C-alpha cells in the first residue's frame, strides 16, 4: 500500500479529505498556493452530502461536473448526446486528453472512406472508458464514476499523477439519463440500452458507439447492479469478460485477467465476496450449478467491446440488503454498493498500470487482424458454449452489398460502428477485409440474429 504524503516541515497545509480512485490519499495542498488561504473545498455529490440517504440528482450531476471542470485543467466535460427527453449525455475526460478532441459525433462517414477514428496513429496514452448506469435503476456505478472524476481531478500524489500522465480516462457518468430520472431499467422509450449496441436505435447507444469508434479505448468498463438469489447468486460483486467468440483470443484473455486477477482480487482484499456474472454456484462447494445470464450476444456492451477489439468488462454490485443493518438503513445499503464499485475500479486501474503494455499490444494487434481476411466468423455460441455448425461461417464471403435503400436506412449505423464501405453502383459494398471484419457479418449476414439488415453476400472480390 502506498504511504500517505509526508507533511513538509515549516509549511502550513490545507488538507483535502478522501482518497483517489487509485486508493491513494488525496494530496495535502500547500496553503500558500492559494495566497495563504485554504483552497476551495472539492465539490461533493448529492449522494455524499446526504451520506447515502439519496442518490445524486441530474441537476446536481451537472453542477458537480461543471465545478470539477472549472477547478482542474486536467478535466474536460462536454455533452456527447441528448436523450429523447432532452437530457444531456455527459462525458468527462481526465488525463492525457482533457480537451476531449475527437469525441463523439453522430454523423455518418461518406462511402469510399474509412469512418472517423478507424485509422491514424495511436496515442501513446492508454485510454479507459467507464460507462456508468446504462440501466437507470442501477445507480451505484454512477456515484462511483462521479467521485472518481473528482478524485482524479484533485489528486496530487505522485502515483496518481504518473498514472494520469500515461492514461486518458473517459467517464460517461450517466449513460441513460432518462432512465435514471424515472428509475427504470430502460430509456424513455423502454429500450434496454445494453441491448442496443448493434442496432443503435437509441440516442444513448449511438453516443457510446461514437465514443468507442473515435476514442478507440483499450478498456471499456461497464458498471451495473443486479438482483441476487440466495444462496446461489448473492455475491457483493460479480464480473464478466466478453464471451463472444469473435473476440480476439489475446483480448479475451486480457479481459479475463482483468476480471479474475485484478477486479475480483481487489474486492476480496477489501472483504467483499465476488463471483462470475450469470453463474449460480453451490453455496457449500462453490462449484457452478447453472448459467442464468452472461452469454455471448454481440449487442451487449462487454461483447460489442470485445468484437471491436477493446478489453470489455461488466461489473455488477448486489442491490438487495445483505445484512439486517442494511435492511434497516437504506443509506448503509447504498454506501456498501458504491464502496464495492470503487474498490473494483481500484482493481481496474491497477490492471491498467501494471499491464498497459500487454493491454496495448493485444488491442493493437486485434485491430489489424481483420485486414488479413482469414478464418471463420461465429454468429452464435460463447467461450463456454461452442458454436454449432449452423452458427459458423467457415468460409465467409468477401463482403456484402447493400442497395441504395438499405444504405439510406443503415448507413449512419455502419459509420457509427466504424465500418468501412465503398460505393458500388447505386448502393455500397461492405468488405470483410477491414479492422471490423468480424463485426460486418454480425451486422449484415441474413443468418445473424441481431443483424441490421440482410446484405447480399459477394463471394469473389
Amino acid at each position: 500500500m502506498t504511504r500517505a504524503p509526508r507533511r513538509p516541515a515549516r509549511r502550513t497545509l490545507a488538507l483535502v479529505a478522501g482518497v483517489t480512485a487509485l486508493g491513494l490519499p488525496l494530496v495535502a495542498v500547500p496553503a500558500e498556493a492559494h495566497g495563504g488561504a485554504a483552497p476551495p473545498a472539492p465539490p461533493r455529490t448529492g449522494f455524499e452530502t446526504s451520506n447515502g440517504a439519496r442518490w445524486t440528482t441530474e441537476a446536481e450531476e451537472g453542477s458537480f461536473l461543471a465545478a470539477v471542470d472549472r477547478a482542474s485543467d486536467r478535466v474536460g466535460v462536454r455533452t456527447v448526446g441528448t436523450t429523447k427527453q432532452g437530457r444531456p449525455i455527459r462525458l468527462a475526460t481526465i488525463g492525457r486528453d482533457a480537451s476531449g478532441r475527437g469525441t463523439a459525433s453522430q454523423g455518418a462517414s461518406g462511402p469510399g472512406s474509412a469512418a472517423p477514428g478507424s485509422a491514424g496513429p495511436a496515442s501513446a496514452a492508454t485510454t479507459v472508458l467507464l460507462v456508468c448506469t446504462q440501466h437507470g435503476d442501477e445507480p451505484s456505478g454512477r456515484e462511483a464514476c462521479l467521485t472518481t472524476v473528482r478524485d482524479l481531478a484533485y489528486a496530487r500524489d505522485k502515483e496518481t499523477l504518473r498514472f494520469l500522465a500515461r492514461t486518458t480516462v473517459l467517464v460517461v457518468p450517466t449513460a441513460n439519463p432518462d432512465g435514471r430520472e424515472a428509475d427504470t431499467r430502460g430509456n424513455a422509450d423502454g429500450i434496454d440500452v445494453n441491448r442496443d449496441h448493434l442496432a443503435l436505435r437509441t440516442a444513448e447507444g449511438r453516443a457510446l458507439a461514437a465514443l468507442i469508434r473515435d476514442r478507440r479505448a483499450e478498456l471499456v468498463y461497464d458498471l451495473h447492479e443486479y438482483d441476487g438469489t440466495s444462496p446461489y447468486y448473492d455475491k457483493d460483486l460479480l464480473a464478466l469478460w466478453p464471451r463472444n467468440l469473435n473476440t480476439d483470443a489475446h483480448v479475451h484473455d486480457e479481459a479475463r485477467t482483468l476480471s479474475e486477477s485484478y477486479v475480483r482480487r481487489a474486492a476480496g482484499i477489501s472483504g467483499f465476496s465476488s463471483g462470475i456474472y450469470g453463474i449460480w454456484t453451490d453455496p457449500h462447494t462453490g462449484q457452478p450449478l447453472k448459467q442464468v445470464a452472461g452469454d455471448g450476444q454481440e449487442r451487449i456492451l462487454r461483447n460489442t467491446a470485445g468484437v471491436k477489439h477493446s478489453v470489455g468488462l461488466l461489473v455488477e454490485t448486489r442491490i438487495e440488503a445483505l445484512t439486517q443493518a442494511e435492511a434497516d438503513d437504506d443509506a448503509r445499503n447504498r454506501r456498501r454498493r458504491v464502496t464495492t464499485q470503487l474498490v473494483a475500479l481500484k482493481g481496474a486501474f491497477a490492471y491498467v498500470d501494471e499491464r498497459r503494455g500487454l493491454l496495448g499490444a493485444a488491442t493493437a494487434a486485434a485491430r489489424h487482424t481483420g485486414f488479413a481476411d482469414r478464418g471463420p466468423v461465429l454468429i452464435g455460441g460463447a467461450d463456454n458454449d461452442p458454436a454449432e455448425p449452423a452458427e459458423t461461417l467457415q468460409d465467409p464471403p468477401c463482403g456484402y452489398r447493400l442497395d441504395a435503400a438499405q444504405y439510406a436506412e443503415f448507413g449512419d449505423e455502419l459509420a457509427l460502428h466504424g465500418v468501412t464501405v465503398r460505393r458500388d453502383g447505386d448502393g455500397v459494398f461492405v468488405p470483410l477485409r477491414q479492422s471490423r471484419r468480424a463485426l460486418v457479418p454480425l451486422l449484415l449476414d441474413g443468418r445473424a440474429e441481431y443483424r441490421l439488415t440482410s446484405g447480399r453476400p459477394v463471394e469473389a472480390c
Side-chain angles (χ1 to χ4, degrees):
M1 180 175 292
T2 305
R3 297 179 185 276
R6 183 174 297 173
R7 183 185 298 273
R10 297 186 300 278
R11 180 174 291 186
T12 302
L13 298 177
L15 299 180
V16 181
V19 296
T20 68
L22 298 180
L24 303 166
L26 279 172
V27 77
V29 182
E32 56 264 37
H34 300 272
R44 303 180 73 207
T45 65
F47 177 82
E48 290 176 309
T49 58
S50 69
N51 197 28
R54 62 179 181 81
W55 303 111
T56 302
T57 67
E58 196 279 331
E60 288 173 333
E61 175 188 305
S63 299
F64 174 86
L65 291 174
V68 173
D69 193 4
R70 288 193 302 269
S72 176
D73 60 4
R74 75 176 71 134
V75 176
V77 178
R78 63 193 64 244
T79 297
V80 294
T82 304
T83 69
K84 180 180 180 179
Q85 295 180 346
R87 295 184 177 88
I89 302 169
R90 300 183 178 95
L91 170 71
T93 304
I94 312 107
R96 279 286 299 270
D97 188 15
S99 68
R101 290 185 300 274
T103 45
S105 117
Q106 294 190 33
S109 303
S113 62
S118 61
S123 169
T126 305
T127 300
V128 176
L129 172 60
L130 308 183
V131 178
C132 322
T133 307
Q134 285 197 78
H135 295 148
D137 55 354
E138 300 172 7
S140 74
R142 173 177 180 253
E143 301 296 342
C145 286
L146 287 170
T147 56
T148 293
V149 172
R150 190 260 328 276
D151 292 348
L152 291 177
Y154 278 79
R156 295 292 184 273
D157 60 276
K158 291 180 180 179
E159 289 81 359
T160 303
L161 294 181
R162 186 163 53 244
F163 176 82
L164 291 175
R166 305 173 67 196
T167 313
T168 299
V169 182
L170 309 173
V171 183
V172 180
T174 312
N176 179 6
D178 291 348
R180 173 78 291 267
E181 180 71 15
D183 196 30
T184 57
R185 178 179 177 89
N187 69 356
D189 287 319
I191 297 173
D192 185 334
V193 177
N194 201 29
R195 301 297 183 275
D196 188 44
H197 295 293
L198 219 64
L200 303 181
R201 296 174 295 165
T202 65
E204 298 87 353
R206 294 171 76 83
L208 292 173
L211 270 176
I212 291 170
R213 177 197 67 190
D214 294 343
R215 301 309 297 271
R216 299 198 298 175
E218 283 84 4
L219 171 59
V220 178
Y221 186 92
D222 188 19
L223 292 78
H224 286 261
E225 299 194 83
Y226 81 104
D227 294 313
T229 303
S230 292
Y232 308 106
Y233 198 50
D234 58 358
K235 306 300 185 185
D236 299 317
L237 176 81
L238 300 176
L240 188 61
W241 52 90
R243 287 199 183 276
N244 189 280
L245 291 171
N246 296 291
T247 302
D248 178 88
H250 297 294
V251 171
H252 171 275
D253 291 349
E254 282 300 314
R256 188 160 185 170
T257 297
L258 166 63
S259 172
E260 303 302 275
S261 299
Y262 285 86
V263 168
R264 289 186 59 191
R265 182 172 182 270
I269 290 172
S270 295
F272 295 110
S273 60
S274 70
I276 297 174
Y277 177 74
I279 304 296
W280 279 25
T281 57
D282 186 297
H284 304 295
T285 67
Q287 294 300 307
L289 295 175
K290 65 176 180 177
Q291 183 170 338
V292 296
D295 57 20
Q297 288 182 43
E298 58 269 24
R299 61 182 183 160
I300 297 171
L301 183 59
R302 64 180 163 81
N303 288 318
T304 306
V307 174
K308 292 182 175 181
H309 317 309
S310 296
V311 168
L313 191 71
L314 169 78
V315 290
E316 305 245 2
T317 55
R318 188 176 173 192
I319 289 175
E320 303 100 315
L322 301 185
T323 64
Q324 188 58 49
E326 282 191 10
D328 294 339
D329 182 358
D330 287 342
R332 183 186 293 266
N333 168 269
R334 295 188 187 103
R335 290 195 299 268
R336 185 260 307 164
R337 290 152 59 185
V338 174
T339 299
T340 310
Q341 294 278 13
L342 287 169
V343 164
L345 264 175
K346 178 181 175 181
F349 287 146
Y351 164 85
V352 171
D353 219 21
E354 294 178 17
R355 294 180 67 89
R356 72 171 69 242
L358 293 168
L359 169 63
T363 54
R367 288 166 182 163
H368 287 90
T369 57
F371 293 102
D373 195 19
R374 290 194 302 266
V377 174
L378 291 311
I379 58 173
D383 66 355
N384 61 349
D385 178 24
E388 300 291 337
E391 299 172 319
T392 304
L393 305 183
Q394 194 64 46
D395 186 20
C398 75
Y400 297 84
R401 190 183 186 281
L402 303 183
D403 62 29
Q406 287 175 306
Y407 187 61
E409 184 172 0
F410 299 108
D412 281 352
E413 287 72 28
L414 293 174
L416 285 165
H417 282 302
V419 170
T420 299
V421 305
R422 298 200 301 260
R423 179 66 69 185
D424 181 23
D426 62 350
V428 295
F429 173 69
V430 187
L432 259 66
R433 189 184 293 272
Q434 58 175 295
S435 181
R436 300 284 201 246
R437 177 181 184 268
L439 179 64
V440 172
L442 299 178
L443 294 170
L444 301 179
D445 196 282
R447 292 161 289 185
E449 184 174 1
Y450 303 110
R451 63 188 179 276
L452 290 176
T453 186
S454 295
R456 179 171 63 81
V458 177
E459 299 299 336
C461 293

